[in-house]
Amino acid sequence: KKRRMMMHFKKLQQEKKRAARVERPLAFDERAPLSAYFPGMEVTGVVISLTDFGAYVDVGTECDGLLHISQITRDFFVEHPRQVFSPGDEVTVTVRSVSPELRKMQLTMLNFDAKEIEDENDEERIPLDDLQVDD
């Protein structure tokens, strides 16, 4: 009797998990390659999953794009993306950066300026001539 009850409980859990899955709008063979996307491009996607550090959005590419928690809004502090989104929500995002080699795409919902990203990367780099090694 106890075993039947546990099997019934597991079956209900599986059905609940299956119902909570988000349907992807395109099949994997119909998706565009990452190289077709470029920074500044505005796309519409579906929120697939939420994590502590952001949301993964399916925009029709070979891999999901990451919408980092800091790129959601500047109006208020977002502690967790579930405050703003839930899986299955449709969102309009801008491509922040794309790396086909690493199969990564970063997305933003803020006002996007491509020069700002380039300046950010240039500031972090230190020329090798400026480094000194003491032996």
Side-chain angles (χ1 to χ4, degrees):
K1 194 172 186 178
K2 188 175 182 181
R3 181 174 284 167
R4 276 190 295 181
M5 188 169 67
M6 286 302 293
M7 292 300 287
H8 180 68
F9 179 73
K10 282 186 178 183
K11 185 178 176 184
L12 288 175
Q13 277 185 321
Q14 287 175 346
E15 288 174 7
K16 183 179 176 183
K17 191 173 183 179
R18 197 170 294 127
R21 282 196 187 133
V22 176
E23 290 293 319
R24 293 182 182 266
L26 293 173
F28 283 102
D29 56 343
E30 299 171 358
R31 297 176 171 276
L34 276 175
S35 57
Y37 289 79
F38 54 89
M41 187 175 179
E42 194 168 289
V43 292
T44 302
V46 178
V47 176
I48 296 298
S49 65
L50 302 174
T51 63
D52 290 339
F53 52 85
Y56 284 98
V57 180
D58 181 4
V59 293
T61 59
E62 55 192 343
C63 66
D64 298 334
L66 174 64
L67 177 60
H68 192 267
I69 197 166
S70 65
Q71 299 297 314
I72 294 174
T73 184
R74 295 255 192 254
D75 296 337
F76 57 92
F77 180 73
V78 179
E79 193 169 325
H80 195 280
R82 79 171 84 89
Q83 292 174 286
V84 184
F85 306 120
S86 62
D89 287 353
E90 192 168 301
V91 294
T92 301
V93 292
T94 305
V95 178
R96 190 164 190 257
S97 68
V98 178
S99 176
E101 304 85 35
L102 299 174
R103 294 184 46 133
K104 290 185 178 182
M105 176 186 275
Q106 294 178 350
L107 306 170
T108 183
M109 291 182 77
L110 305 175
N111 293 334
F112 179 76
D113 185 14
K115 286 184 178 180
E116 185 180 305
I117 301 300
E118 291 173 10
D119 292 344
E120 236 178 61
N121 291 338
D122 290 342
E123 288 176 13
E124 292 176 11
R125 293 186 181 176
I126 300 172
L128 288 175
D129 299 335
D130 292 352
L131 298 177
Q132 295 177 358
V133 180
D134 295 332
D135 286 331

